Amino acid sequence: MVAFIAKVLSFFMPTTRLRKNARRKLVIAFWTHYARSQVKGHGKGFVATARCGLTKLTEIGGGAILGGVSVLGGGKVKFGNYVSTGPNVIIQTQSHEYEGEMLPYGVGYRVKDVEIGDAVWIGMNVLILPGTKIGE
């Protein structure tokens, strides 16, 4: 739907190159607005270049560029300044309880926060597990 609307609006541009640039800017503006509405807080210059599934416990630093991140679980996620991600990045903040009477795992869940430092680049198809801390 977003791509269709961008295509229709960019149709009125005089050249193909201008149409492609306008379409891309509209798509990025839409996904950035959508991502900003999902998170607890974000810094200046944050951009989402694709759909991101974030939570209200997510904080994003300034200058970050997220390209398709999904946050799963009930833990906090903190992105530093100038973090950049590729598409299809999954961040999990909870896992099964593994100490219990039931095997292979218990009934409850363990929730652990994830921290990603400043100036970190995360490539495509990366899975970040609960409790991970990535430094600068």
Side-chain angles (χ1 to χ4, degrees):
M1 183 67 175
V2 175
F4 174 74
I5 293 170
K7 191 173 185 179
V8 170
L9 292 175
S10 66
F11 179 75
F12 299 101
M13 298 291 170
T15 66
T16 305
R17 184 175 180 188
L18 287 175
R19 285 182 193 161
K20 286 181 182 179
N21 288 339
R23 186 178 315 144
R24 184 70 182 142
K25 287 180 181 180
L26 285 169
V27 169
I28 289 173
F30 177 82
W31 288 127
T32 300
H33 177 72
Y34 180 71
R36 287 178 178 174
S37 69
Q38 292 179 316
V39 299
K40 178 179 180 180
H42 59 82
K44 184 178 179 181
F46 159 64
V47 175
T49 60
R51 182 177 183 177
C52 295
L54 306 170
T55 66
K56 287 292 184 187
L57 298 174
T58 304
E59 293 181 36
I60 303 171
I65 301 172
L66 303 184
V69 176
S70 295
V71 176
L72 307 173
K76 295 178 183 178
V77 177
K78 184 175 181 182
F79 291 94
N81 296 320
Y82 306 105
V83 172
S84 182
T85 70
N88 199 28
V89 173
I90 299 173
I91 301 174
Q92 292 186 339
T93 59
Q94 75 182 36
S95 61
H96 286 284
E97 180 68 55
Y98 55 84
E99 293 177 351
E101 297 176 10
M102 297 180 69
L103 295 176
Y105 49 83
V107 179
Y109 293 97
R110 286 187 175 206
V111 176
K112 295 181 180 179
D113 299 340
V114 173
E115 288 184 30
I116 300 171
D118 294 341
V120 173
W121 181 79
I122 301 170
M124 68 185 291
N125 298 325
V126 172
L127 171 65
I128 298 175
L129 298 175
T132 301
K133 293 181 182 179
I134 301 173
E136 182 176 347

